[in-house]
Amino acid sequence: MDVKHDRGLITAFIERWRPETHTFHLPFGEATITLEDVHHILGLRTTGRPFILHGFTTTARQRKDMIRDLLGLTLEQGDVRKNCLRIGWLISNFGN
């Protein structure tokens, strides 16, 4: 799946984001993105147990092994950028 970005729309949202309240200030009021929005926009599953690693330090190799063990998939070189999984990888493997 090829994800297309609307740069103008992204810029408009960036300009309206208020980090102190974690909301967008829009002409009709405040709005935020919910986990349900993530599910509908990206088609990713948002149910089940969360996976959180607070205060846990790993190497790149350990993270790749963890993804393989937990998700059953092996990451390729282009699947990770700046220690983060690419959204396209998540969508292509778990999206609808």
Side-chain angles (χ1 to χ4, degrees):
M1 176 179 182
D2 186 27
V3 179
K4 299 199 185 317
H5 302 284
D6 183 329
R7 291 180 188 267
L9 181 62
I10 292 170
T11 300
F13 275 119
I14 289 170
E15 290 172 354
R16 288 167 177 79
W17 178 252
R18 298 297 177 257
E20 59 278 355
T21 58
H22 300 286
T23 59
F24 295 100
H25 287 241
L26 302 170
F28 55 83
E30 291 185 67
T32 191
I33 294 177
T34 66
L35 197 53
E36 185 178 7
D37 295 329
V38 171
H39 167 74
H40 288 290
I41 293 167
L42 300 177
L44 299 174
R45 188 172 68 95
T46 57
T47 58
R49 295 178 47 106
F51 182 71
I52 303 168
L53 297 173
H54 289 295
F56 187 74
T57 304
T58 60
T59 64
R61 178 77 254 155
Q62 289 171 319
R63 288 188 295 273
K64 285 184 178 184
D65 290 344
M66 195 180 312
I67 289 169
R68 183 199 62 228
D69 295 344
L70 293 171
L71 302 178
L73 298 168
T74 303
L75 292 172
E76 301 297 327
Q77 183 70 26
D79 297 332
V80 178
R81 181 171 177 240
K82 296 183 181 178
N83 291 323
C84 297
L85 285 174
R86 290 183 167 276
I87 292 291
W89 182 87
L90 289 169
I91 292 170
S92 67
N93 287 288
F94 299 101
N96 293 333

